[in-house]
């Protein structure tokens, strides 16, 4: 960096820490949190307790570990400050809230929530923790604004194990969809300027999740499996894949759903109205959206993705397509947060320590 860039960067970081300073009861954890975030932003080979302590000029990682495991500070308040900071810089009335999960590979059985479970990050079943995150995306940029640690039933049914990992007694089992709803509710209740929600089929395939979005009167474009039932009349429903397979050639239109790393992401798209009443009430409608690739896969097939959508009547097809394409923003956030600010490089086992690290990593990422 040139001197002016470095000064601007340092000034911006200090201004941000000025916002969160009141969330720390004492000066020591406040200073150490700032050093922790500066270390996450530094070009270190690894970002764990030892390397972050060394970057801060400390001889042992004890202070950094104490910040995550024992120091008194308002973690949820810092999360709210991060969200407000993101909105100040990225806020847009057409903003999109994106929910998704990511895996954190772990060894052993002591880390809160760890078990052998499917990790989309690894693409297979691994011994890992799963975090559900909420990202905010707009034409101005994208970043992570909230997080929840998923605790499987194997954990919540074993209260002794939970106590050993610092899980509060009041924490009970919640599905990933419910965790997503909690984060979305916090964002909407805080006035985050968002017109849309998007998610993959793990969330979109849950009808309760879609109905909840309609009750909150927030537009959505969520992926569903080809087997998802689509009600077409009073006489019954058909699978999404069957409906799309019968679409005439004229129903398809070629559109970009936004720019990717290699330029515009162009697919063929088709939209059909779903003639059922939205729980959002009068003035809202539902649609089935399909996205078809332009080139065959290794099996010689044109891959097709399916989405169920809800929004005010009069919403254009191009809006639905744009929101469907916005889901990649959370994947980009996961990649940059892990490779650049150490989101997955923590060395903690406690439930509360996971929230503390991920909150500071989100601050660094934002």
């Amino acid at each position: 960096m040139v001197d002016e860039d470095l000064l601007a960067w340092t000034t911006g970081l200090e201004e941000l820490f000025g916002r969160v300073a009141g969330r720390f009861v004492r000066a020591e954890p406040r200073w150490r949190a700032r050093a922790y975030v500066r270390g996450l932003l530094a070009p270190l080979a690894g970002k764990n307790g030892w390397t972050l302590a060394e970057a801060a000029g400390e001889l042992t990682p004890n202070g950094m570990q104490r910040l995550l495991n024992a120091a008194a500070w308002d973690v949820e308040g810092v999360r709210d400050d991060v969200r407000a900071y993101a909105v100040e810089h990225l806020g847009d009335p057409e903003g999109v809230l994106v929910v998704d999960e990511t895996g954190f590979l772990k060894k052993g059985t002591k880390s809160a929530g760890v078990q052998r479970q499917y990790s989309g990050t690894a693409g297979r079943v691994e011994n890992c923790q799963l975090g559900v995150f909420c990202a905010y995306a707009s034409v101005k940029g994208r970043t992570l604004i909230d997080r929840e640690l998923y605790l499987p039933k194997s954990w919540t049914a074993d209260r002794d194990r939970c106590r050993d990992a610092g899980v509060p007694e009041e924490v009970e089992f919640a599905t990933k969809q419910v965790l997503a709803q909690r984060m979305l509710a916090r964002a909407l209740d805080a006035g985050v300027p968002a017109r849309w929600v998007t998610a993959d089929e793990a969330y979109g395939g849950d009808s309760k999740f879609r109905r909840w979005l309609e009750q909150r009167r927030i537009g959505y474009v969520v992926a569903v499996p080809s087997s998802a039932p689509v009600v077409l009349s009073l006489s019954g429903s058909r699978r999404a894949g069957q409906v799309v397979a019968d679409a005439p050639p004229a129903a398809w239109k070629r559109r970009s759903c936004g720019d990717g790393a290699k330029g515009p992401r162009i697919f063929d798209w088709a939209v059909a109205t779903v003639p059922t009443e939205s729980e959002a009430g009068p003035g809202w409608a539902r649609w089935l959206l399909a996205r078809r690739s332009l080139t065959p896969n290794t099996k010689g097939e044109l891959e097709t993705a399916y989405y169920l959508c809800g929004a005010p009547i009069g919403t254009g097809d191009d809006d639905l397509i744009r929101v469907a394409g916005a889901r990649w923003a959370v994947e980009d956030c996961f990649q940059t947060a892990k490779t650049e600010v150490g989101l997955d490089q923590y060395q903690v086992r406690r439930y509360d320590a996971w929230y503390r690290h991920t909150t500071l990593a989100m601050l660094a990422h934002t």
Side-chain angles (χ1 to χ4, degrees), residues 16-344:
L16 176 56
F17 255 94
R19 295 182 179 216
V20 304
R23 306 296 187 179
F24 296 86
V25 177
R26 297 174 54 245
E28 179 191 358
R30 181 167 62 247
W31 173 87
R32 188 159 279 115
R34 183 168 60 234
Y36 193 95
V37 172
R38 289 181 70 97
L40 292 178
L41 289 164
L44 305 178
K47 296 178 181 181
N48 53 50
W50 280 100
T51 59
L52 295 176
E54 183 177 324
E58 300 182 357
L59 298 178
T60 72
N62 296 344
M64 294 300 182
Q65 291 295 325
R66 186 163 60 250
L67 172 71
L68 299 181
N69 288 292
W73 53 287
D74 183 0
V75 183
E76 302 306 282
V78 173
R79 176 207 61 202
D80 293 346
D81 293 337
V82 170
R83 183 182 60 221
Y85 181 77
V87 167
E88 179 179 319
H89 290 271
L90 306 180
D92 184 89
E94 292 293 318
V96 182
L97 294 167
V98 193
V99 290
D100 200 2
E101 64 201 56
T102 189
F104 301 92
L105 300 183
K106 287 292 174 182
K107 296 180 180 179
T109 61
K110 301 296 185 180
S111 299
V114 70
Q115 71 169 20
R116 286 191 60 79
Q117 52 194 329
Y118 180 78
S119 166
T121 306
R124 58 185 180 273
V125 174
E126 288 280 3
N127 194 62
C128 65
Q129 295 170 300
L130 289 179
V132 183
F133 285 78
C134 180
Y136 181 76
S138 75
V139 294
K140 303 175 184 178
R142 53 200 171 273
T143 194
L144 301 172
I145 61 170
D146 208 341
R147 71 288 174 264
E148 289 282 359
L149 178 63
Y150 173 67
L151 289 179
K153 289 183 178 179
S154 63
W155 272 82
T156 55
D158 188 341
R159 299 317 301 187
D160 289 337
R161 189 184 188 192
C162 283
R163 277 189 286 273
D164 290 342
V167 179
E169 292 291 337
E170 65 271 17
V171 174
E172 299 180 351
F173 174 74
T175 65
K176 298 166 193 172
Q177 295 83 1
V178 168
L179 296 178
Q181 288 173 206
R182 290 177 185 173
M183 294 186 292
L184 292 170
R186 285 197 288 262
L188 296 174
D189 291 345
V192 172
R195 185 185 169 194
W196 299 96
V197 168
T198 188
D200 69 15
E201 62 184 52
Y203 302 87
D206 183 347
S207 60
K208 293 180 181 179
F209 180 72
R210 299 195 306 269
R211 290 198 299 270
W212 182 86
L213 293 173
E214 291 181 345
Q215 291 163 3
R216 290 299 306 242
R217 295 181 67 83
I218 180 79
Y220 63 88
V221 178
V222 292
V224 295
S226 62
S227 59
V230 179
V231 178
L232 297 177
S233 65
L234 295 176
S235 60
S237 63
R238 298 177 66 196
R239 294 184 175 184
Q242 294 173 327
V243 176
V244 173
D246 292 338
W252 295 92
K253 63 180 88 174
R254 192 155 295 181
R255 295 285 189 276
S256 169
C257 59
D259 290 339
K262 299 180 180 179
R265 292 169 292 151
I266 300 175
F267 299 90
D268 285 334
W269 302 83
V271 182
T273 301
V274 177
T276 54
E277 185 176 340
S278 169
E279 295 202 18
W284 282 62
R286 294 170 172 170
W287 297 269
L288 171 65
L289 172 69
R291 184 197 72 199
R292 189 175 65 194
S293 61
L294 303 185
T295 56
N297 59 17
T298 55
K299 298 180 180 180
E301 302 169 338
L302 296 177
E303 295 182 352
T304 305
Y306 309 89
Y307 306 84
L308 286 175
C309 316
I313 292 173
T315 298
D317 296 353
D318 287 347
D319 282 335
L320 302 180
I321 292 169
R322 175 182 62 84
V323 178
R327 203 195 70 79
W328 77 275
V330 72
E331 300 293 345
D332 180 71
C333 287
F334 288 151
Q335 180 180 2
T336 55
K338 288 182 177 183
T339 59
E340 297 182 16
V341 297
L343 178 68
D344 61 342

